[in-house]
């Protein structure tokens, strides 16, 4: 016996309206962590994904584990993954469910080889009524339609952070019993922060509002803000969002001119939307600078979007600079 509420118990007790949250995800994460740690798989695989990025072996493994753990249970009609060019329909031998899941099996994968935190991000929406064989179009609805979003963070401890639209709760894996235990109930993001996260090597490509905001932070106590700021960049969005949930902060992967064919780096369906739902449910703001991310109607499952999220007052300040 253990003390504390397990994620399975929490989901059963508080979220009976979400039949897909059965604990499959718990076993999925355990599989994932064990496979990663035991086999020590890393390094670049020889294939590329649709976006021309080199896939790491562990990305592919995680993708396969995630699909295998979630396809048979009868809750999903189809999945969309960062590592799959097209949507993945539930194979004919399994019952089809009412939900669609988009996921990034291993986000921050440039960090695998250097043993820095990575994570898994997922977003669940409803399959339109009466549709047995969903198409890509059925996935392309605004983030406001999400019914559940979450991430797993593989850090010094393994955590699962979830929202079903009723606040945000964090669970920590207790390896002795193999269960996620509620350790961070009702997570909220402080409205103010003096910590920002951005990849400054892209500075010359940023637009004027982001240039202005970062410049003011850098000037610290001597500048217009009159206070010193701290900076972080993990290059793992899951770790950055988790830090912001725990102690506040602002994270930006903004619109830039680096590659005019791409609106930003992060993908809306399985990175920006689920993180936006979590951030907003925790009292933060998630925006492109021009619009609320969750109100965008995506036109592709791999569409990219600028992301500015975190502590309310700082994100609103950056959005204000865009409006000026
Ligand atoms: P990935 O899905 O290929 O891992 O890319 C997403 C990651 C985010 O986790 C992180 O915020 C960003 O890419 C880091 O980008 P950069 O390498 O430009 O700093
Ligand atoms: Mg990713």
């Amino acid at each position: 016996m253990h003390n504390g509420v397990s994620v399975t118990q929490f989901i059963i007790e508080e979220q009976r309206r979400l039949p897909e949250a059965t604990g499959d995800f718990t076993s999925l994460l355990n599989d994932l962590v064990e496979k990663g740690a035991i086999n020590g798989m890393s390094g670049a695989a020889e294939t590329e994904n649709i976006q021309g990025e080199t896939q790491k072996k562990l990305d592919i493994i995680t993708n396969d584990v995630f699909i295998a753990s979630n396809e048979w249970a009868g809750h999903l009609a189809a999945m969309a993954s960062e590592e799959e060019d097209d949507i993945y329909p539930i194979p004919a031998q399994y019952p089809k469910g009412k939900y669609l899941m988009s996921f990034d099996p291993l986000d921050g994968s440039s960090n695998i080889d250097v043993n820095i935190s990575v994570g898994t991000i997922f977003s669940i929406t409803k399959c339109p009524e009466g549709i047995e064989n969903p198409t890509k179009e059925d996935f392309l609805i605004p983030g406001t339609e999400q019914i559940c979003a979450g991430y797993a963070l593989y850090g010094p401890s393994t955590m699962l952070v979830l929202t079903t639209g009723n606040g945000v709760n964090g669970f920590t894996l207790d390896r002795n019993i193999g269960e996620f235990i509620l350790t961070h109930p009702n997570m909220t993001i402080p409205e103010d922060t003096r910590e920002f996260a951005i990849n400054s090597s892209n500075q010359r490509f940023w637009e004027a509002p982001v240039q202005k905001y970062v410049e003011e932070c850098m000037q610290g106590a001597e500048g217009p803000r009159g206070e010193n700021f701290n900076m972080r960049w993990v290059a793992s969005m899951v770790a950055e969002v988790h830090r912001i949930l725990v102690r506040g902060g602002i994270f930006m992967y903004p619109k830039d001119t680096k590659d005019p064919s791409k609106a930003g780096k992060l993908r809306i369906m399985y990175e920006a939307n689920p993180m936006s739902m979590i951030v907003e449910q925790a009292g933060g703001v998630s925006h492109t600078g021009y619009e609320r991310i969750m109100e965008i109607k995506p036109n592709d499952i791999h569409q990219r979007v600028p992301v500015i999220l975190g502590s309310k007052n700082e994100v609103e300040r950056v959005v204000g600079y865009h409006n000026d």
Side-chain angles (χ1 to χ4, degrees):
M1 281 297 289
H2 58 83
N3 297 319
V5 179
S6 75
V7 67
T8 318
Q9 206 176 333
F10 181 89
I11 288 165
I12 291 170
E13 283 173 2
E14 308 227 352
Q15 295 161 17
R16 286 184 193 260
R17 68 194 176 90
L18 275 178
E20 76 278 12
T22 56
D24 294 346
F25 195 67
T26 303
S27 54
L28 154 72
L29 294 176
N30 286 331
D31 275 5
L32 176 63
V33 171
E34 274 176 26
K35 284 191 175 136
I38 291 170
N39 298 340
M41 308 223 208
S42 63
E46 282 167 12
T47 52
E48 284 195 344
N49 66 8
I50 192 172
Q51 290 143 91
E53 299 155 330
T54 306
Q55 288 175 306
K56 303 283 183 181
K57 279 184 186 143
L58 207 55
D59 289 15
I60 301 167
I61 294 162
T62 321
N63 188 54
D64 294 348
V65 169
F66 208 95
I67 287 176
S69 317
N70 288 293
E71 65 181 355
W72 57 271
H75 305 303
L76 297 173
M79 292 181 245
S81 164
E82 179 176 322
E83 302 302 341
E84 301 280 339
D85 298 355
D86 228 318
I87 64 165
Y88 178 88
I90 298 302
Q93 72 262 37
Y94 301 120
K96 290 221 173 71
K98 313 188 285 250
Y99 297 96
L100 304 176
M101 180 160 66
S102 304
F103 64 97
D104 181 351
L106 209 54
D107 185 61
S109 46
S110 70
N111 281 324
I112 296 169
D113 283 352
V114 288
N115 204 16
I116 292 174
S117 300
V118 290
T120 299
I121 313 171
F122 66 93
S123 155
I124 297 169
T125 56
K126 282 210 171 95
C127 188
E129 206 69 45
I131 302 279
E132 269 253 325
N133 297 301
T135 63
K136 218 181 237 192
E137 298 309 312
D138 298 314
F139 280 82
L140 303 177
I141 55 176
T144 47
E145 301 291 313
Q146 293 171 104
I147 54 171
C148 176
Y151 62 78
L153 171 63
Y154 317 112
S157 58
T158 296
M159 283 197 67
L160 175 59
V161 171
L162 273 183
T163 181
T164 55
N166 185 27
V168 179
N169 290 282
F171 303 82
T172 305
L173 180 65
D174 181 336
R175 285 176 198 274
N176 294 320
I177 55 171
E179 284 230 64
F180 284 93
I181 304 297
L182 180 63
T183 48
H184 295 61
N186 228 331
M187 300 177 88
T188 50
I189 301 175
E191 289 191 354
D192 290 298
T193 181
R194 293 292 167 264
E195 195 163 71
F196 67 100
I198 192 163
N199 183 343
S200 295
S201 70
N202 294 322
Q203 184 183 0
R204 65 194 184 284
F205 305 114
W206 299 337
E207 293 186 325
V210 172
Q211 295 278 5
K212 175 178 173 186
Y213 176 77
V214 173
E215 173 59 25
E216 288 180 356
C217 294
M218 300 290 275
Q219 287 176 21
E222 288 76 48
R225 302 297 304 271
E227 280 182 278
N228 290 325
F229 280 72
N230 194 10
M231 199 200 77
R232 289 286 183 276
W233 189 250
V234 189
S236 264
M237 190 195 197
V238 179
E240 319 266 13
V241 169
H242 192 71
R243 184 185 63 248
I244 289 169
L245 278 171
V246 171
R247 68 177 190 213
I250 177 170
F251 167 89
M252 291 173 279
Y253 216 117
K255 184 164 187 275
D256 64 33
T257 57
K258 197 173 183 178
D259 177 349
S261 73
K262 293 174 182 164
K265 174 168 184 188
L266 301 173
R267 275 60 53 113
I268 189 162
M269 299 292 299
Y270 39 78
E271 291 171 334
N273 268 343
M275 290 313 203
S276 297
M277 183 177 181
I278 292 167
V279 165
E280 288 194 8
Q281 283 291 319
V285 177
S286 186
H287 218 268
T288 65
Y290 300 95
E291 57 194 320
R292 184 181 168 213
I293 288 177
M294 287 208 290
E295 285 175 9
I296 297 171
K297 159 98 178 63
N299 48 42
D300 185 79
I301 52 171
H302 298 292
Q303 184 179 330
R304 295 174 194 260
V305 68
V307 175
I308 301 169
L309 60 76
S311 291
K312 185 170 180 287
N313 292 336
E314 289 304 299
V315 177
E316 285 178 351
R317 174 181 285 267
V318 182
V319 172
Y321 290 178
H322 283 78
N323 293 336
D324 289 345

